[in-house]
Amino acid sequence: MITKAIYPGTFDPVTYGHGDIIARAAKLFDNVTVAVATHPSKSPVFTQDERVELISQVFSHLDNVSACGFDCLLAEFAQQCHAQVIIRGLRAVSDFEYEFQLASMNRALMPHLETIFLPTSTKYTYISSSLVREVAQLGGEIEQFVDPIVIKALSTKINR
Ligand code: COA
C-alpha cells in the first residue's frame, strides 16, 4: 500500500521549523503533500499561490514532497488527495490542546483519517511564521529561520 500524508498549514511563509517536519515526514511516508490553506482570517502576506510556489522551490530536492493549495475542509481535501494521514507538528505542550481538538474534529468528519503528531526539533520550537515576518519587517536577520529563497521573497514584499 502506498502511504500518503498531508501536512496542512498557512505557511506564511514556510520556515525551517516546518521544513524539519516535512523532511522527517518524507522519510516516513511514500508521498507528502504540503497543503496550503487560504486562511483569510490571518490576512496572509503571501498569496496562496505564492506560498505554494515557495514551498515547491524550497523542497524541490525532496522527490516525494509536493505542495498544493486548498480552500475547503481539511478532511475533505485529505479525501480528495487519497491521504490516509494528517501530519501536525507539536512545538510545545501549549500546542497540544488545540491540536487534540483539531485531530478529534477531523476524525469525527472522516473516521478513517488519522492524525500523526511529530515533535518539532528543539531548536525550532520558538519559531512561528508571524514572528519571522515581524523580525524581517523590523530589519532583523532571519537567516537562521527561513530558506534563502524565502528571505528574497520576503524582502521583495517588505520593500514594495
Ligand atoms: N515550526 C515552526 N512553526 C510552526 C510549526 C513548526 N513545526 N508548526 C506550526 N508553526 C507555526 C506556524 O507558522 C503558525 O504561525 P503563525 O500563527 O504565526 O502563522 C503557527 O505555528 C500555527 O500553525 P498551525 O497550527 O499549523 O496553524 P495554521 O494556521 O498554519 O494551520 C490549519 C491551521 C490550516 C491546519 C487549520 O486552520 C485547518 O485545517 N484549516 C482548514 C479548514 C478546516 O478544515 N477547518 C476545520 C478544522 S477541524
Side-chain angles (χ1 to χ4, degrees):
M1 181 173 99
I2 294 199
T3 54
K4 184 155 189 181
I6 60 172
Y7 177 46
T10 308
F11 305 109
D12 186 42
V14 68
T15 67
Y16 284 147
H18 298 127
D20 165 56
I21 300 289
I22 292 168
R24 284 160 56 204
K27 289 184 189 156
L28 294 172
F29 299 96
D30 295 316
N31 241 290
V32 177
T33 299
V34 182
V36 180
T38 39
H39 223 309
S41 60
K42 277 196 168 179
S43 307
V45 166
F46 290 101
T47 66
Q48 188 184 37
D49 285 347
E50 286 169 339
R51 286 176 274 141
V52 168
E53 182 55 29
L54 282 175
I55 293 165
S56 304
Q57 286 183 30
V58 170
F59 300 101
S60 58
H61 60 291
L62 297 176
D63 290 343
N64 61 340
V65 172
S66 59
C68 190
F70 75 105
D71 191 15
C72 59
L73 271 179
L74 176 60
E76 254 174 43
F77 184 68
Q79 195 178 38
Q80 283 167 27
C81 295
H82 306 290
Q84 301 95 339
V85 169
I86 294 173
I87 302 282
R88 294 289 288 165
L90 283 180
R91 290 168 300 170
V93 178
S94 52
D95 280 345
F96 182 77
E97 204 172 331
Y98 170 66
E99 292 301 334
F100 188 71
Q101 210 181 354
L102 208 74
S104 304
M105 179 58 85
N106 282 323
R107 184 139 28 86
L109 294 170
M110 225 50 96
H112 61 276
L113 195 59
E114 286 295 347
T115 298
I116 292 184
F117 298 118
L118 293 179
T120 301
S121 296
T122 327
K123 59 183 173 179
Y124 300 127
T125 49
Y126 61 93
I127 302 180
S128 76
S129 298
S130 48
L131 269 185
V132 168
R133 289 197 313 271
E134 189 175 328
V135 171
Q137 270 154 359
L138 296 172
E141 301 292 340
I142 54 169
E143 279 87 356
Q144 52 184 316
F145 311 125
V146 292
D147 188 275
I149 293 170
V150 175
I151 296 180
K152 195 169 167 221
L154 204 45
S155 70
T156 306
K157 282 273 173 198
I158 289 168
N159 295 327
R160 205 174 269 170

